[in-house]
């Protein structure tokens, strides 16, 4: 029985305990009585699973009801036993009642349902049984330890870290920051909506990537379209936005740092050894819980100062065992959740467990929404006569940083693929980073003639780009084997990387522009540093002024 998108996702995670068992058929129904029910039926039908309409549930003979929501109508399902799974880490948050000006303990089943004797509350640690008993004596004797499938998926998938990072587009030279926000006014995005933009503005694109994990309730309440609207500048700046249905487990495995709040993902990250900075922490957290202790002891992100120094320091001084006591207090059976949950489910079904061990799948591959970055603000500094250092940030967020003084120069580079037309008027450098297709040689146009035609077309593009954008001083286009550069004085230069690597027209154009401003642009070699990497560019004069 799914009620919200969050609970549906957790139910799908739990159904692996029935893999390969032909005695058990799993069907789903949606009790759409929550303001966060949007998208649940669509998620289930897309898998596709068998979905029984809510009105037809009383006609269905079922032997076990599994739900990850405490607010369900058990009268609809007859006399079958009911297993209630947690949809986060334990019982650590007070949530508002929809129809009353009060709050309740999230995950706690009402006493009248517990009094039926049919309900079993799954817990991840024995201490939670004591917590529930203090909150509701009706829970005594109604709990069962099952561990935590999400925690096990993250821990067990550590060996796939390189795979996940590659799928997220994170090269070995970059560090991945995962920003996690729960839902509500006290969440990270509720209190610091500018943080994603600031991170992307203050962390160079050549050294960092930023991914976001947003609670499913935010997706269902506001809608994915609205969330995309709010995050538009961050998305244009290269943000990786993980969908609510998959990817956050893998993102935690891949992360070098987690920036979070009082949501479960932050605690998951801390308990599996990731460095964590808290950018928000709500008052709705239940005192005395592991999450409350985490909020008391974790390091905070100071929004009033530059972010890069804080991010780098958190990674540099991190002790991966720092929150091991919290992991021990939250998860009593690490690595055993599938086993314990399968045993419990088969006991409730009055079936013997299958002889084969249960399957423990790795965290699903991440499938983030992403947009390429087509415009950059570039700061350049010459540290030697032929060595320039470039610091590149996405133009979409260039006004969002706490500025750091820079001794060199800055320029705006805009690529031909840039959809924001307003940026072209401010561009000093124009690029076309996708090389045009070379024409196939024919009898009329042998290979040499075809190459000359491509070269002429590239030169024409340079001239036209400068004509259309009178504020730009330089244009560059990708060509076979490198970059062709054009200046307003008529000079053209060809740029090639000495390492024979894939041409990076945007990088080459910015390096050339920095050399132009410094008065050293010409034939020869130019050493370009971006982060810890250095590339050597060779410039050849094609056509003097």
């Amino acid at each position: 029985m799914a009620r919200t998108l969050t609970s549906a996702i957790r139910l799908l995670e739990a159904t692996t305990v029935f893999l390969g068992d032909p005695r058990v058929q799993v069907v789903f129904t949606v009790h759409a009585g929550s303001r966060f029910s949007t998208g649940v039926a669509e998620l289930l039908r897309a898998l596709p699973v068998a979905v029984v309409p809510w009105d037809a549930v009383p006609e269905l003979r079922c032997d076990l009801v599994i739900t990850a929501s405490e607010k369900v109508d058990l009268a609809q399902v007859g006399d079958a036993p009911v297993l209630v799974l947690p949809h986060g880490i334990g019982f650590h948050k007070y949530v508002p009642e929809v129809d009353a000006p009060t709050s309740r303990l999230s995950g706690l089943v009402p006493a009248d349902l517990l009094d039926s004797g049919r309900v079993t509350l799954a817990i991840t640690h024995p201490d939670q049984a004591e917590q529930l008993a203090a909150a509701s004596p009706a829970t005594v004797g109604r709990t069962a330890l099952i561990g935590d499938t999400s925690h096990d998926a993250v821990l067990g998938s550590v060996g796939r870290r390189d795979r996940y990072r590659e799928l997220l587009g994170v090269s070995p030279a970059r560090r991945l920051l995962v920003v996690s926000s729960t839902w509500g006014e006290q969440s990270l995005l509720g209190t610091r909506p500018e943080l994603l933009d600031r991170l992307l503005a203050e962390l160079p694109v050549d050294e960092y990537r930023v991914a976001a994990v947003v609670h499913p309730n935010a997706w269902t309440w506001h809608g994915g379209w609205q969330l995309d609207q709010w995050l538009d500048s961050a998305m244009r700046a290269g943000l990786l936005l993980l969908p609510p249905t998959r990817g956050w487990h893998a993102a935690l495995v891949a992360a070098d740092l987690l920036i979070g709040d009082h949501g479960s993902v932050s605690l998951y990250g801390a308990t599996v050894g990731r460095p964590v900075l808290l950018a928000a922490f709500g008052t709705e957290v239940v005192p005395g819980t592991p999450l409350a202790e985490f909020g008391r002891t974790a390091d905070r992100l100071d929004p009033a100062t530059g972010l890069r120094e804080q991010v780098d320091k958190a990674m540099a001084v991190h002790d991966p065992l720092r929150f091991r006591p919290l992991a021990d207090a939250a998860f009593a059976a690490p690595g055993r959740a599938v086993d314990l949950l399968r045993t419990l489910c088969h006991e409730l079904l009055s079936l013997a467990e299958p002889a084969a061990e249960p399957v423990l799948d790795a965290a699903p591959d991440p499938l983030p929404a992403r947009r390429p970055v087509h415009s950059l603000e570039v700061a350049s500094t010459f540290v030697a006569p032929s060595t320039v250092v470039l610091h590149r940030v996405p133009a979409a967020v260039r006004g969002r940083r706490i500025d750091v003084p820079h001794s060199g120069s800055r320029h705006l580079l805009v690529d031909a693929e840039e959809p924001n037309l307003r940026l072209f008027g401010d561009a000093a450098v124009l690029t076309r980073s996708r090389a045009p297709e070379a024409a196939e040689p024919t009898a009329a146009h042998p290979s040499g003639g075809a190459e000359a035609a491509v070269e002429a077309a590239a030169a024409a593009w340079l001239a036209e780009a400068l004509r259309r954008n009178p504020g730009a001083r330089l244009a560059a286009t990708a060509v076979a084997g490198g970059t062709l550069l054009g200046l307003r004085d008529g000079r053209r230069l060809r740029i090639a990387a000495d390492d024979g690597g894939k041409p990076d027209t945007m990088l080459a154009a910015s390096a050339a522009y920095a050399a132009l401003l410094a008065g050293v642009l010409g034939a020869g070699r130019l050493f370009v540093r971006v982060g810890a990497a250095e590339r050597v560019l060779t410039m050849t004069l094609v056509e003097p002024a």
Side-chain angles (χ1 to χ4, degrees):
M1 292 173 62
R3 180 177 169 85
T4 66
L5 190 60
T6 307
S7 64
I9 293 168
R10 186 56 69 107
L11 285 176
L12 291 169
E13 198 175 284
T15 54
T16 58
V17 300
F18 300 118
L19 289 174
D21 191 342
R23 302 167 300 168
V24 178
Q25 178 180 353
V26 179
V27 299
F28 286 79
T29 190
V30 181
H31 181 199
S34 168
R35 56 180 175 165
F36 302 116
S37 297
T38 303
V40 177
E42 291 80 2
L43 167 67
L44 297 175
R45 290 193 178 96
L47 292 175
V49 301
V51 179
V52 178
W54 181 250
D55 293 342
V57 169
E59 303 169 12
L60 182 71
R61 183 189 66 80
C62 63
D63 300 289
L64 174 62
V65 177
I66 306 178
T67 181
S69 176
E70 67 274 19
K71 297 194 73 175
V72 291
D73 182 3
L74 296 186
Q76 193 82 343
V77 292
D79 298 325
V82 179
L83 174 60
V84 181
L85 304 174
H87 52 260
I89 299 178
F91 308 86
H92 60 234
K93 186 185 288 187
Y94 292 115
V95 294
E97 289 283 12
V98 176
D99 52 0
T102 58
S103 60
R104 59 182 176 83
L105 180 62
S106 179
L108 177 59
V109 174
D112 60 331
L113 298 181
L114 291 166
D115 289 339
S116 69
R118 302 162 50 201
V119 176
T120 300
L121 281 171
I123 58 176
T124 65
H125 195 282
D127 288 352
Q128 293 168 9
E130 298 180 17
Q131 177 195 1
L132 291 174
S136 173
T139 63
V140 175
R142 307 306 311 167
T143 61
L145 179 68
I146 65 159
D148 190 289
T149 51
S150 283
H151 184 255
D152 288 358
V154 176
L155 274 181
S157 301
V158 169
R160 298 167 73 88
R161 175 176 166 87
D162 289 345
R163 172 186 176 83
Y164 296 149
R165 288 175 68 87
E166 182 178 352
L167 290 170
L168 291 167
V170 183
S171 66
R174 284 173 167 167
R175 286 163 284 187
L176 174 64
L177 275 63
V178 175
V179 179
S180 173
S181 178
T182 189
W183 61 282
E185 294 180 356
Q186 298 186 34
S187 67
L188 185 151
L189 289 181
T191 57
R192 304 285 179 198
E194 78 291 345
L195 182 61
L196 287 172
D197 282 0
R198 280 198 54 203
L199 286 167
L200 291 158
E202 297 184 28
L203 303 176
V205 295
D206 299 293
E207 300 175 61
Y208 302 85
R209 291 219 74 163
V210 179
V213 176
V214 182
H215 195 283
N217 282 0
W219 287 83
T220 55
W221 183 244
H222 301 294
W225 180 88
Q226 181 63 76
L227 194 61
D228 190 67
Q229 293 282 299
W230 283 333
L231 300 181
D232 178 69
S233 54
M235 295 294 292
R236 291 173 187 262
L239 176 71
L240 305 172
L241 181 60
L242 277 302
T245 52
R246 65 181 290 169
W248 70 264
H249 303 81
L252 283 188
V253 174
D256 295 295
L257 175 73
L258 177 68
I259 297 176
D261 55 16
H262 56 289
S264 291
V265 173
S266 302
L267 187 54
Y268 278 122
T271 56
V272 298
R274 293 291 174 264
V276 179
L277 288 173
L278 289 178
F281 204 81
T283 58
E284 56 216 11
V285 174
V286 177
T289 59
L291 184 62
E293 178 63 13
F294 173 59
R296 188 184 68 82
T297 58
D299 296 325
R300 303 293 178 120
L301 188 73
D302 181 2
T305 61
L307 301 179
R308 182 173 183 177
E309 182 179 355
Q310 298 180 69
V311 164
D312 290 346
K313 179 181 177 182
M315 291 186 286
V317 304
H318 174 60
D319 175 6
L321 300 180
R322 176 180 177 183
F323 291 109
R324 177 64 62 82
L326 280 183
D328 294 341
F331 309 109
R336 298 176 55 215
V338 172
D339 304 82
L340 293 173
L341 181 58
R342 188 175 81 160
T343 296
L344 176 60
C345 287
H346 283 80
E347 286 178 355
L348 294 172
L349 285 165
S350 299
L351 285 176
E353 281 192 75
E357 283 189 328
V359 173
L360 179 58
D361 279 329
D365 287 343
L367 296 172
R370 69 178 93 193
R371 302 185 206 168
V373 176
H374 295 302
S375 297
L376 297 166
E377 184 180 74
V378 185
S380 60
T381 304
F382 270 86
V383 294
S386 60
T387 301
V388 64
V389 177
L390 300 182
H391 178 105
R392 307 195 295 174
V393 298
V397 291
R398 56 182 170 155
R400 307 301 176 90
R401 63 177 175 264
I402 293 180
D403 215 354
V404 178
H406 195 277
S407 58
S409 60
R410 294 185 187 275
H411 66 268
L412 177 63
L413 178 149
V414 181
D415 192 75
E417 301 288 325
E418 173 58 54
N420 183 359
L421 300 178
R422 292 187 179 277
L423 290 176
F424 286 89
D426 296 329
V429 177
L430 303 167
T431 61
R432 183 176 63 170
S433 55
R434 287 203 306 175
E437 294 288 336
E440 291 290 332
T442 64
H445 298 282
S447 60
E451 291 175 4
V454 169
E455 196 82 5
W461 182 88
L462 296 175
E464 177 63 14
L466 291 172
R467 185 192 69 78
R468 288 196 313 267
N469 299 277
R473 297 184 62 184
L474 176 155
T477 179
V479 293
T483 297
L484 187 65
L485 192 79
L487 302 173
R488 286 204 172 273
D489 61 12
R491 282 182 294 168
R492 291 207 306 272
L493 293 91
R494 183 178 294 277
I495 305 175
D498 279 12
D499 59 7
K502 182 180 179 181
D504 186 337
T505 295
M506 295 170 77
L507 178 71
S510 282
Y513 184 76
L516 176 66
L517 293 184
V520 296
L521 179 62
R525 302 172 83 195
L526 183 63
F527 298 84
V528 185
R529 295 179 188 170
V530 281
E534 181 173 276
R535 300 197 73 176
V536 184
L537 303 180
T538 297
M539 300 191 181
T540 306
L541 193 63
V542 175
E543 186 175 307

